[in-house]
Amino acid sequence: MKKSYCIFLLTCLLNIVISEAQVSKTIDMTTAGILATLLTPAELNSVTDLTVTGNIDARDFKCMRDDMKVLKTLDMSGVIIRAYNGEGGTYHYQNSYNYPANETPVMAFHIDGSTVGKTSLETVILPTSISTIGQMSFYGCNQLKNISFPSNITSIGYYAFCYCHSLPATMNIGSGIQTINQGAFGNCNGITAFVVSNNNPNYSSVDGILYDKYQSTVLQCPCGKTGTVQLPSSLTVIGNSSFRECTHITGEITIPDNVYRIDDYAFMSCSGLTGDLILPENITYIGGWTFFECTGFSKFVLKSTTPPALNYTYCFYGTTVPIYVPASSIDNYKSATEWSEYSSRFVGAGSYYSGYMASSFAGGDGTSGNPYQISNAGEFALLAYLVNDMSNSNSGINYSNNKYFVVTANIDLGGPTIKWSPIGHIESEWTNDNKFEGNFDGGNFEIINLCVDISSDNTNVYGGLFGYTSTNSVIKNVTLNTNSSVKTQNTKIQRYTYSGGICAFNNGLIENCFNHGTVYSWTFDSNYTGGIAGYNKGRVINCYNTNTIESTGSLACDKNAGGIIGFNEGYAKSCYNNGAVNAYDGIYNSAGGIVGYSWSSQNIENCYNSGAVSIWGGSWSNYVGGIVGYLSMGNVINGANVGNLYITGNAPCYIGGITSRAQGKILNCYNKGNLSCTNIYGSRMGGIAAECLNSIQNCYSSGLLYNSSPYATTGNITAENSGSEIKNCYAFSTQTINNTVNLIGSGTITGSAVKNNSTFDLNSILKEQVLIENDNSTGYQNLLTNALNKWVSVNVSTSETPYNTWLSVNNYDHGFPIFGTPLDIPEIVSQPQSQTYFSGESKTVFISVKKTTQTGNLLYQWQKSLNDNGVWTDISSATDSVYIIENLTSEFDGLQLRCIVTNIKSGVVSKTGSLPARLTYSTGISTSLPNRELNGEIQIYPNPVKTTLYLKTPEKAGKVIIFDLAGVKLIESQISNNENKIDVSRLRKGIYNIQIENQVIKFIKE
């Protein structure tokens, strides 16, 4: 029994060896079509390596494919492939077929109609005379590893190497190949890149992807390619099966705007692609199975208002996400051939936005604790739809009332081709139409590419990110980027335009909002244009604008432009503008750096302007002010202007550094901008105000005044004072077109402590300032604060905490002084110490700062200086109270280190610098000890420490306490034996005291 079993095993092993043995055969074919007769049955079953010379045709390929069971290597370099027409060839589906010469026949090594090819075949050497690799020649040969293309090859047929998974990672396409047919290298998982010769006349490759010569058509992405794909902007056609089963490409893919056709199977089974797939407006055809099983996309977005033609209905099969189409065309899509299959998945965009609209927000329930989350343009459009289409969608209930919304990412609104209609639509300010009544938090993210472009001759126009808001609305933490724009036009009398970057007509609160886009308004009648709000009846706080604001139209009614607010009936505080402000061609033109025209009993506080403010044209009167163009009522408090102001035209003009006509008070303000007026009629110009009708106190002006009108009245503080109080005011410059100009042009000076130019000594007043060496924040602008405080003797009471002094604010408001509560200069109680070091050592420098009730957020910046040249530079990584410099060498000998400490709170800044510490190189041998003895028995180590401090103590020691340098107890631990450890990982970097028994020592926490 055992003997029979052994014989059986030997027989099996012998058969395995025989089956795996390499059997070579060389045959010279004098006549094509007879290969089967030249091989014995045993050879047909055993030959692995075949070399053929002479003449062969499709019948011989059929023999190699079907009869040679283990054929592995095929050398046909010496073969001439002859033409054949008959029934004995390789084509499965037709008995008689015409096979051309010098071409591998159709289905040469493809077994049947599935994806199976000759799986034993690994290496093929093609004939040097061959010109074409025929259709499906090697289809499904998944073990084919080695094949080269002779120089005579000009064409590769349809699906020639499809499913050849073992081909090399890089597929080289030479200069002679003129035709690569569809799917030639489809589904080849091993190929990761195509490399096309620069001399090839018809093809190219970019990032490993095969294109036509000029990258207008993508032909094949290699199925082995990984990572993201970026398509060239030149692309117009995405070819058949070009990304089919490229399952390893991931991330979002952008279809270029010029693409008009996506062919069959283009993205079939690309499950790794994610995000929104946006199909451009130019697309007219989408093929069958194109997005079959593309399960990673979050939505499909079609921009074309005309439904593209579909090949057949399997285009979106295997996906379930929404399909967004323009709302105006949703019925066309539902009725279009093949599109009706997906009608249940359609979501339409509102007419207010020509992009797409989401079906829901990213999250939240609209409460203050869980606001609706807006993460993309579609969700932002949904908010606009729910507010603006209130009567249709919400049964007449304003959707936004008492609802909360928060932005969670930058939002790209797609302008200028995609137009936005503001959130909050209203026919006129006296109606109760679709106002925005909610709380909107922009999350300090950017709104990118906002494009508002509205024209009308029937109704008032409201242009902005938001249109009209209610008194309980809140808009905060919104930033519009520089590519944003708001443009409104109205050509009918008694129809007005309201244009603001953030909001056209504000009745609520706008806070911490910033506009970097342009705002433009044209009307036949009146318009109101502002960087933040066109018309304000609410509150605008801590906002700024940096781009051009322009109000114009026909010579009818008034044109009002302000860097922040066009027309104000509310309150403005802590705002600034450095964009150009222009108003022109109205009966009345009013332009101000902050507010164009103010008709409010409330104040304009803590605002400044550095942008140019201009008016030209006009027929009756022009009003320009650095802060307010025309101040009808209310006060301007703590205002600063450094922008240049201009008026050109024939209408009478009023121009003032702070305001033109001051019917309210102007308190604690200054002007450094230059004023210029050129016209043929009367003009009034004042460094602070053209006309003072109330009071000017604690103000100064240092700008140049140029008034060329033949009927000009000019004053360095005011051109005309109507018996009002002018107190504590200075003019730093007498440089005007008329050197005799004094503080006022006409009227009387009342009040006390009025100074003129001759008694003001600039140098002596400005010299009292603590300087930090080479700190760029110091200089003339900071020195002005001392001059200002020389005459400020009263507090200005507002509805909030009174202010008490001028402050130099270096990192806030572009460095202009503000009137506010001072902060203590940081007091350094432990200065950094000079040290000697050895090569390769590390050293630690540190400081400690005393904290007071006026200490805000302390910022640390270590600086270094070499060679005693007095030049200090920041050390980017050293921003803590402790700085460790490692691996010191002799090159650091003489290095000086110091720390600049900044105290900052609510935008107000004070700072000081430490004494320098010097590092000195020693050529001796390092004897540094990481441990520190207290009395010979008690030790702590390591020092400095990162996480665990070890103690060695006498047995009698009982308690250990760790304090900070202010004496606050942080850690208390009981010692149980003579060697302990304490976890100090939770301590911040710095210096600490450790008390053991009655002994105290400092240690450093790294």
Side-chain angles (χ1 to χ4, degrees), residues 669-720:
C669 296
Y670 71 87
N671 168 61
K672 291 181 65 182
N674 300 324
L675 281 60
S676 175
C677 178
T678 56
N679 75 341
I680 62 175
Y681 293 105
S683 64
R684 293 177 175 85
M685 177 184 291
I688 298 298
E691 288 187 325
C692 177
L693 304 175
N694 196 313
S695 174
I696 301 176
Q697 298 182 37
N698 309 329
C699 297
Y700 77 86
S701 176
S702 63
L704 307 182
L705 310 181
Y706 185 91
N707 194 348
S708 66
S709 170
Y711 307 102
T713 304
T714 306
N716 278 321
I717 296 300
T718 182
E720 183 172 331

Side-chain angles (χ1 to χ4, degrees), residues 421-645:
S421 184
I423 301 171
H425 174 72
I426 191 167
E427 293 295 329
S428 74
E429 63 179 284
W430 295 279
T431 68
N432 290 314
D433 292 346
N434 311 29
K435 306 174 184 178
F436 177 73
E437 297 186 324
N439 186 304
F440 182 88
D441 185 349
N444 295 314
F445 291 100
E446 279 194 340
I447 306 297
I448 302 169
N449 296 322
L450 167 73
C451 181
V452 176
D453 191 349
I454 306 175
S455 297
S456 175
D457 58 2
N458 294 317
T459 63
N460 295 338
V461 174
Y462 298 83
L465 182 67
F466 289 80
Y468 198 97
T469 63
S470 69
T471 55
N472 65 328
S473 68
V474 175
I475 302 171
K476 61 184 180 181
N477 305 325
V478 177
T479 298
L480 299 183
N481 83 326
T482 54
N483 293 327
S484 296
S485 65
V486 174
K487 181 180 179 182
T488 59
Q489 297 184 78
N490 201 310
T491 58
K492 191 169 184 178
I493 194 71
Q494 294 184 338
R495 292 290 183 261
Y496 312 128
T497 64
Y498 304 87
S499 304
I502 302 298
C503 183
F505 200 116
N506 174 57
N507 290 286
L509 170 64
I510 301 177
E511 186 174 20
N512 299 325
C513 292
F514 317 119
N515 175 47
H516 300 290
T518 59
V519 183
Y520 171 89
S521 183
W522 192 103
T523 53
F524 186 84
D525 212 297
S526 300
N527 64 34
Y528 312 95
T529 312
I532 301 298
Y535 202 108
N536 176 54
K537 283 189 173 183
R539 295 174 295 157
V540 178
I541 298 174
N542 193 35
C543 298
Y544 67 75
N545 170 70
T546 64
N547 215 324
T548 301
I549 310 302
E550 194 160 288
S551 173
T552 185
S554 69
L555 281 170
C557 295
D558 54 314
K559 309 297 185 281
N560 306 275
I564 302 299
I565 300 168
F567 195 100
N568 180 54
E569 289 190 61
Y571 175 65
K573 178 182 177 182
S574 300
C575 297
Y576 78 81
N577 169 66
N578 64 7
V581 180
N582 305 315
Y584 53 96
D585 289 346
I587 293 179
Y588 299 99
N589 297 304
S590 299
I594 302 300
V595 176
Y597 194 110
S598 187
W599 185 277
S600 174
S601 60
Q602 300 183 68
N603 297 332
I604 298 170
E605 303 183 46
N606 303 339
C607 296
Y608 72 85
N609 171 63
S610 61
V613 184
S614 304
I615 286 179
W616 58 90
S619 57
W620 287 6
S621 297
N622 294 321
Y623 303 94
V624 168
I627 301 298
V628 183
Y630 192 117
L631 182 67
S632 180
M633 61 180 80
N635 306 318
V636 178
I637 301 174
N638 310 329
N641 173 62
V642 299
N644 295 327
L645 314 178

